[in-house]
């Protein structure tokens, strides 16, 4: 079976409550000569996942502004997809699962298009609950 576009996820059943932890890493684009460029391809974030009972990593395109939510802020994923990467080994293959999404937003707030200046406001408004 070939899953060219990954597996679409039912967010509530799969993840349950998600809480923001931190930026895990930035993946940079590789130059034609094999060196690493300064241009970021994607960012991976650590999220506490109640549904899985552990921390998960979710990758977001670099076109989305850097997320700097408060630690333990409740968040949700926009269009999450699970996918795999396989590496051939002597005994078969090693398969790793990963999760990608279009964006990570505060729970209850709609996602903003990447070109919208309001999308840079990742922090909740002071004084509002």
């Amino acid at each position: 079976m070939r899953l060219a576009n990954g597996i679409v996820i039912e967010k509530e059943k799969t993840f349950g409550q998600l809480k923001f932890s931190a930026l895990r890493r930035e993946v940079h684009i590789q130059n034609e000569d094999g060196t690493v460029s300064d241009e970021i391809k994607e960012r991976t974030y650590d999220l506490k996942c109640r549904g899985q009972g552990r921390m998960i990593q979710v990758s977001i395109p670099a076109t989305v502004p850097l997320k700097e939510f408060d630690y333990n802020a409740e968040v949700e994923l926009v269009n999450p997809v699970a996918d795999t990467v396989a590496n051939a080994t002597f005994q078969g293959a090693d398969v790793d699962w990963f999760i990608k999404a279009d964006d990570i937003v505060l729970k209850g707030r709609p996602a903003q298009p990447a070109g919208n200046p309001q999308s840079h406001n990742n922090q909740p408004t002071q004084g509002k609950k």
Side-chain angles (χ1 to χ4, degrees):
M1 179 165 78
R2 184 163 188 247
L3 300 170
N5 295 322
I7 300 169
V8 178
I9 299 170
E10 289 188 44
K11 295 187 287 189
E12 289 301 318
K13 288 182 181 179
T14 304
F15 302 120
Q17 184 182 51
L18 289 171
K19 291 188 175 182
F20 188 81
S21 183
L23 174 67
R24 183 176 190 83
R25 69 178 164 272
E26 293 178 328
V27 178
H28 292 262
I29 293 175
Q30 197 171 27
N31 294 321
E32 289 179 16
D33 64 0
T35 60
V36 178
S37 75
D38 290 334
E39 189 177 350
I40 298 170
K41 177 182 175 182
E42 67 184 16
R43 294 182 180 93
T44 301
Y45 296 89
D46 284 335
L47 303 177
K48 295 177 183 179
C49 179
R50 180 162 294 184
Q52 297 299 314
R54 64 183 181 94
M55 192 79 74
I56 62 169
Q57 289 78 43
V58 179
S59 296
I60 305 296
T63 55
V64 175
L66 178 68
K67 301 298 175 179
E68 296 177 321
F69 299 127
D70 290 336
Y71 183 75
N72 275 341
E74 193 171 350
V75 296
E76 60 185 314
L77 301 176
V78 177
N79 301 323
V81 174
D83 212 341
T84 60
V85 62
N87 294 307
T89 65
F90 179 71
Q91 297 176 339
D94 289 332
V95 179
D96 290 317
W97 287 88
F98 59 91
I99 300 169
K100 292 191 175 222
D102 291 343
D103 200 355
I104 299 172
V105 296
L106 290 172
K107 181 87 174 181
R109 290 199 179 176
Q112 299 285 334
N116 186 333
Q118 292 177 349
S119 66
H120 296 279
N121 184 7
N122 294 328
Q123 297 291 338
T125 305
Q126 293 294 330
K128 291 189 179 180
K129 292 185 180 183

